[in-house]
Amino acid sequence: MDNSMVCLANATVCNGTSCLVPESNFNAVLSAVLSAVLTTLLALVMFSMGCNVELKKFLGHIKRPWGICIGFLCQFGIMPLTGFILSVAFDIIPIQAVVVLIMGCCPGGTASNILAYWVDGDMDLSVSMTTCSTLLALGMMPLCLLIYTKMWVDAGMIVIPYDNIGISLVALVVPVSVGMYVNHKWPRKAKIILKIGSITGALLIVLIAVVGGVLYQSAWIIEPKLWIIGTIFPIAGYSLGFVLARIAGQSWHRCRTVALETGMQNTQLCSTIVQLSFTPEELNLIFTFPLIYSIFQIIAAALFLAAYVVHKKYFRKNSAEFPESRENEPVPQSSLQ
């Protein structure tokens, strides 16, 4: 048989239908370049989101952190527990259960800040929640993983990339702080920046999902149970976060904010942890799950946004049913003080 009929032109060793092809680093290079570009764009978008944050209100949430405490309970209480319940309910293998729990233990993602703007959420609360959850993740992630993964693996095998968490924190705090300063000094210009940034941010969220799908298209063959969990998990996070915030007496726009902060996870951090903690053979079984979650959290959030826009447009006359006097609404006093 002519090996040229079955082997690629760059194959180095051919034996019948078996060929050895040099490892291509095209995807690795493309991933690195796109990562740098997307990180830069995300920093600019977060700068624009900071232009909608008022320092006085932001500090008010820090000083009286009732909303942040609710977000903390959702982020490191509801999400890990939901991941655990889904893993047990679908009876997935231990390594897959661990990656589901890693996703549940991750802090909130910055995309939630962009979406909070589009659903008329509390931007001050959104940014403060994302910042605090990322900071608290340094201690809460190891604790939650120790509690929930011990029935499957030794929690010590999971590598927490503290440097990546630190970078995420800096990439969030610095541009948002600059945006807050611009909003304080030049409020009119800040509004223009905000409009441009909000549109760019929405496009960026879609771009990240598309790029992820293209880069890892060869890994889409994965167990159906993980597809189902990846679909249910973010929806459960949004729903439970909204319900808990409402039970806690938060206003409707803060309920939307807490819901987004709860369901919208930092999937990039989850992918990094997975790559650092498992062998290449194990990665074949689980690596795509963070991408699945990322795509469905965006789809679910888009549906959430669409539902809100429809309600806002066609039920504006009934807005008295959903009072949201945000301009003069004080930050609730915390019972934890």
Side-chain angles (χ1 to χ4, degrees):
M1 178 183 290
D2 184 4
N3 285 342
S4 63
M5 298 297 291
V6 292
C7 289
L8 297 175
N10 62 337
T12 55
V13 177
C14 291
N15 181 16
T17 59
S18 299
C19 304
L20 179 63
V21 181
E23 183 179 354
S24 173
N25 65 343
F26 174 75
N27 262 17
V29 173
L30 180 61
S31 179
V33 172
L34 286 174
S35 178
V37 173
L38 292 176
T39 299
T40 303
L41 288 174
L42 185 59
L44 293 174
V45 170
M46 293 314 300
F47 160 68
S48 69
M49 292 297 102
C51 290
N52 197 38
V53 176
E54 296 181 21
L55 181 60
K56 184 178 180 180
K57 291 182 179 180
F58 178 81
L59 293 177
H61 285 297
I62 301 297
K63 293 177 180 178
R64 297 185 291 274
W66 183 229
I68 294 176
C69 289
I70 296 171
F72 172 82
L73 179 60
C74 293
Q75 194 70 63
F76 298 110
I78 287 179
M79 290 302 284
L81 180 59
T82 302
F84 179 80
I85 292 173
L86 289 172
S87 299
V88 173
F90 283 91
D91 192 28
I92 53 180
I93 62 176
I95 190 174
Q96 293 173 337
V98 170
V99 74
V100 171
L101 285 165
I102 291 173
M103 178 61 73
C105 295
C106 282
T110 51
S112 61
N113 306 128
I114 301 169
L115 288 164
Y117 169 80
W118 282 105
V119 299
D120 297 329
D122 187 333
M123 288 299 298
D124 308 284
L125 176 60
S126 179
V127 171
S128 60
M129 283 178 63
T130 304
T131 303
C132 291
S133 70
T134 304
L135 180 61
L136 293 170
L138 294 169
M140 290 306 300
M141 281 192 72
L143 177 60
C144 290
L145 289 171
L146 175 65
I147 294 171
Y148 287 105
T149 63
K150 60 183 179 181
M151 70 175 289
W152 288 295
V153 296
D154 178 9
M157 69 169 285
I158 302 173
V159 180
I160 307 296
Y162 294 101
D163 53 341
N164 287 69
I165 296 176
I167 292 172
S168 298
L169 189 60
V170 172
L172 170 66
V173 172
V174 172
V176 168
S177 299
V178 176
M180 290 169 63
Y181 177 77
V182 171
N183 186 31
H184 177 70
K185 295 290 289 185
W186 305 284
R188 291 185 179 179
K189 293 182 179 179
K191 290 181 179 180
I192 298 174
I193 296 172
L194 176 62
K195 289 181 179 179
I196 297 172
S198 61
I199 296 172
T200 304
L203 295 175
L204 183 61
I205 291 174
V206 176
L207 177 61
I208 291 174
V210 172
V211 168
V214 171
L215 282 179
Y216 303 109
Q217 56 183 326
S218 61
W220 281 108
I221 301 175
I222 195 169
E223 188 173 350
K225 289 181 181 180
L226 285 183
W227 277 97
I228 298 172
I229 292 174
T231 305
I232 296 174
F233 203 173
I235 296 174
Y238 293 136
S239 304
L240 293 172
F242 188 94
V243 170
L244 182 62
R246 193 58 191 164
I247 291 174
Q250 296 296 293
S251 59
W252 291 102
H253 77 294
R254 284 185 179 149
C255 289
R256 294 193 295 270
T257 303
V258 173
L260 289 170
E261 289 293 329
T262 302
M264 190 69 68
Q265 298 293 81
N266 189 334
T267 54
Q268 295 90 346
L269 178 60
C270 179
S271 295
T272 301
I273 295 173
V274 168
Q275 292 180 68
L276 291 174
S277 304
F278 300 103
T279 65
E281 291 76 16
E282 292 171 330
L283 287 176
N284 289 332
L285 299 172
I286 59 175
F287 183 67
T288 312
F289 180 76
L291 181 59
I292 293 173
Y293 186 99
S294 178
I295 290 175
F296 281 104
Q297 76 175 0
I298 292 171
I299 292 174
L303 294 174
F304 180 33
L305 172 59
Y308 172 71
V309 170
V310 170
H311 177 273
K312 183 179 178 181
K313 182 176 181 180
Y314 292 101
F315 297 93
R316 186 183 297 271
K317 293 181 181 180
N318 298 327
S319 58
E321 181 183 354
F322 299 96
E324 297 189 18
S325 55
R326 296 185 296 174
E327 293 299 326
N328 301 316
E329 179 183 11
V331 178
Q333 292 288 340
S334 173
S335 61
L336 303 180
Q337 286 185 310

